[in-house]
Amino acid sequence: MPNRSRLQAMERAGYGPVPMLSRFVLAVLLTLVGLSPALAGADDIAATARGVVRVVTIAMVDDQVAGFGHGSGFAVAPNRIVTNAHVVELAERYPDNVVIGVVPSEGSKSYQGRVIAYDARRDLALIEVSEAKLPPVALFTGPVTEGDQVIALGYPGNVDLATAQSAADYIRPLSPVRSQGVASGRRALTGIEVLLHTASIARGNSGGPLLDPCGRVIGVNSALTRADDGDSTFGFAIADTELMAFLREAKQPYASVGVPCTSIEERLREDSAADARAIADAAAAKREAANVAALRREEALNAAREQAERLRENVMAVAALLLVGGALAVGAAGLLESRGSRRAAIWTVSAGGAAIVAAVVVFLLRPSAEIRLPRETLATAMGATTPGVSAPGTAIGPMICTLIPDRSRITVSSTAETRLDWGANGCADGRVQYLEGEGGWQRIIVPEEEPTVTVARFDPVTRTYTQTRYMLPAATMDAIRKLHQPSTPTACVKTDKALQNLEGEQAQIRQQLPPLPNEKLVYSCRSGR
């Protein structure tokens, strides 16, 4: 148990004095069943906010709650939270007497955590929460320059003091407070690289993320300047370079994105034009292939015609030779008969007659002047084997799809290649049924765990695979998952009734989606055989 001097140290470290509470109240706080937060729009900052948490530390003295402090944090894995070291300093010093609570921004449950990595020099700590499944955020690895827009997310204490009605309000899931400013350059603070910025932060924001406009983490809010005599305040965030070094040393994997932040409206507009160009290019390639096939067909036709004429002439020449030979044999048989060689005459006239009959048969069976092209040549002329172009309902087989960065908008997703096995009639990977529509085949995919809805589209004509991703609040995801009907097929289907059920469910899901997505990933696919 900590003595009274330790309690005073706790209070100096930021713990506010609270009424003495029993262990029963503490248990209630750590197993809170609270109110779900209000639905948020599917913008990039709200998507990142799903992985932002309040970090609460509760100090126990003589079996009583003696004080508590709180800060902010964010998930870099479903069960791993980054925060400032000073937020959990006393939990690191007195692990048996200080409890760490992690309160997500949405849902109805809070969790108990433990410190698994601690760096006082960088003022960073990593908390593990065994039961949580939080949406991880992504780190931005590109450049951050002065004047760039930045957004802070967290739980400022001055807001809590103004709105909290009781201690329970500090551990009830609530959306984090966002504030906006600009990056004001990089500085060194006690030997650690920090980002100076003008986004409004306060005590309680410590450990919360500093974001770019696409919701990628560029720093960890840690301190702010004093505003003496009306001076403006500035915030300090532990820089991305320090954060990544800390995570590497802690052997903690993390998602990272290096592509610049672009507007989703701009990307959709540009990609619509790119889609039109791709379709036009595919149509031009098909016409060019058809022209080449027609030219080859004409060449093959001429070659076949010449070959048929030569064969016909050769056969007719053979028939003529047989006829002449037969006539000569008949004449010779008559000469032999006149000379008394009857036996020889019989054999000779028989041979001559056979030659004449053979000549007639060969002439009648001479090759026809009609020309027929081989099947594969005709198929090429019809465009069925045009390289890289497939008819809408045909199977293509395994493909490797590579991301097109210039046509994509990425906030948190991986940029690695993906695989797609395209079967006949919209059956993907042997188990996912797509529906035919304008611009190709589409399917809305609702995973059971990940809080993201993906509208996948594949165009067999251009072999373009697109994933439009909506990162939604937990309440919206729950509402969408409830739309699944038992009659809806869970695999590739063939009957009209099953397709109608799938179409109905997909239409209901689409109505729940926001007007704009968070991400659009565009892939170019090639044969993977």
Side-chain angles (χ1 to χ4, degrees):
M1 297 293 176
N3 56 30
R4 289 298 167 182
S5 61
R6 288 183 180 178
L7 175 58
Q8 293 172 359
M10 294 177 187
E11 292 178 349
R12 287 197 299 270
Y15 285 83
V18 297
M20 291 296 182
L21 301 176
S22 66
R23 281 192 176 274
F24 173 76
V25 176
L26 174 61
V28 172
L29 297 183
L30 290 179
T31 57
L32 173 69
V33 179
L35 300 177
S36 296
L39 291 181
D43 62 272
D44 297 325
I45 306 304
T48 301
R50 302 174 307 168
V52 175
V53 302
R54 188 196 295 267
V55 179
V56 179
T57 49
I58 305 172
M60 302 295 300
V61 175
D62 299 329
D63 295 333
Q64 300 275 342
V65 175
F68 74 93
H70 77 92
S72 304
F74 56 92
V76 290
N79 65 333
R80 299 285 174 86
I81 308 296
V82 167
T83 189
N84 281 145
H86 73 259
V87 172
V88 294
E89 177 184 359
L90 289 178
E92 175 70 9
R93 292 167 58 188
Y94 311 115
D96 295 333
N97 302 103
V98 179
V99 177
I100 298 175
V102 174
V103 187
S105 60
E106 57 183 10
S108 59
K109 187 177 181 181
S110 57
Y111 304 92
Q112 185 170 338
R114 65 184 183 92
V115 177
I116 61 172
Y118 187 86
D119 189 334
R121 188 178 70 87
R122 291 193 177 100
D123 195 19
L124 292 173
L126 188 64
I127 301 172
E128 182 178 67
V129 186
S130 59
E131 299 179 358
K133 293 183 179 180
L134 298 169
V137 304
L139 277 59
F140 179 56
T141 58
V144 179
T145 58
E146 292 188 29
D148 286 351
Q149 180 183 346
V150 296
I151 299 93
L153 283 181
Y155 296 92
N158 51 9
V159 174
D160 291 326
L161 289 174
T163 60
Q165 301 297 315
S166 67
D169 289 334
Y170 285 86
I171 41 86
R172 178 176 291 112
L174 290 171
S175 297
V177 176
R178 70 170 79 181
S179 61
Q180 183 173 311
V182 296
S184 301
R186 293 178 182 263
R187 297 288 190 275
L189 188 64
T190 63
I192 299 300
E193 186 178 20
V194 296
L195 295 176
L196 186 66
H197 64 86
T198 63
S200 297
I201 59 174
R203 294 184 180 182
N205 277 104
S206 294
L210 185 68
L211 311 173
D212 72 353
C214 281
R216 287 90 62 95
V217 175
I218 58 175
V220 183
N221 287 311
S222 181
L224 68 160
T225 60
R226 296 180 62 179
D228 294 333
D229 299 325
D231 292 340
S232 298
T233 60
F234 289 86
F236 292 97
I238 307 300
D240 49 352
T241 52
E242 303 284 358
L243 173 59
M244 288 185 284
F246 168 72
L247 292 174
R248 285 194 299 268
E249 292 172 9
K251 295 181 172 54
Q252 174 59 52
Y254 58 89
S256 63
V257 178
V259 297
C261 182
T262 57
S263 162
I264 186 62
E265 294 89 348
E266 178 183 357
R267 176 57 64 220
L268 292 175
R269 183 170 58 252
E270 292 178 353
D271 197 51
S272 178
D275 276 336
R277 288 194 299 271
I279 292 173
D281 291 344
K286 188 171 183 177
R287 288 194 300 270
E288 179 64 23
N291 292 336
V292 171
L295 179 60
R296 290 177 179 174
R297 181 179 185 279
E298 187 63 27
E299 292 175 352
L301 186 63
N302 291 335
R305 220 181 257 121
E306 292 177 1
Q307 183 179 3
E309 288 294 335
R310 287 196 299 269
L311 181 60
R312 183 182 176 87
E313 291 174 359
N314 290 338
V315 170
M316 292 180 65
V318 170
L321 289 175
L322 288 173
L323 183 61
V324 171
L328 292 175
V330 171
L335 181 60
L336 290 173
E337 178 69 22
S338 64
R339 293 181 177 180
S341 301
R342 186 175 183 80
R343 185 178 180 83
I346 292 173
W347 280 105
T348 302
V349 74
S350 298
I356 293 172
V357 171
V360 172
V361 171
V362 169
F363 181 79
L364 294 176
L365 297 179
R366 68 190 182 279
S368 171
E370 182 180 356
I371 305 301
R372 291 185 178 180
L373 290 179
R375 182 186 299 273
E376 59 273 14
T377 305
L378 180 61
T380 302
M382 297 296 291
T385 58
T386 303
V389 178
S390 302
T394 59
I396 299 177
M399 293 179 292
I400 300 174
C401 302
T402 304
L403 187 76
I404 308 175
D406 293 342
R407 293 186 58 186
S408 300
R409 198 228 185 206
I410 307 166
T411 59
V412 298
S413 294
S414 169
T415 59
E417 291 181 333
T418 187
R419 292 182 176 271
L420 181 67
D421 190 345
W422 192 254
N425 300 319
C427 181
D429 300 323
R431 63 182 185 277
V432 182
Q433 180 64 56
Y434 282 56
L435 299 174
E436 190 173 10
E438 183 178 357
W441 297 76
Q442 294 189 8
R443 176 65 185 264
I444 304 176
I445 301 172
V446 183
E448 287 297 325
E449 296 293 336
E450 183 185 3
T452 300
V453 173
T454 299
V455 180
R457 188 186 76 175
F458 179 67
D459 186 352
V461 176
T462 62
R463 295 202 178 183
T464 301
Y465 179 56
T466 304
Q467 290 185 348
T468 305
R469 295 168 61 82
Y470 298 81
M471 300 172 189
L472 304 175
T476 304
M477 290 299 303
D478 290 341
I480 289 176
R481 291 188 180 107
K482 290 178 181 178
L483 294 175
H484 179 69
Q485 302 295 326
S487 59
T488 303
T490 57
C492 294
V493 298
K494 297 181 180 179
T495 65
D496 292 340
K497 180 63 174 177
L499 285 174
Q500 290 175 1
N501 291 338
L502 181 59
E503 288 173 356
E505 180 181 295
Q506 296 272 291
Q508 288 182 311
I509 295 174
R510 187 173 290 279
Q511 291 176 357
Q512 300 293 320
L513 299 179
L516 294 176
N518 296 96
E519 292 186 321
K520 184 172 185 180
L521 284 65
V522 182
Y523 300 85
S524 176
C525 300
R526 65 186 186 278
S527 176
R529 295 187 184 278

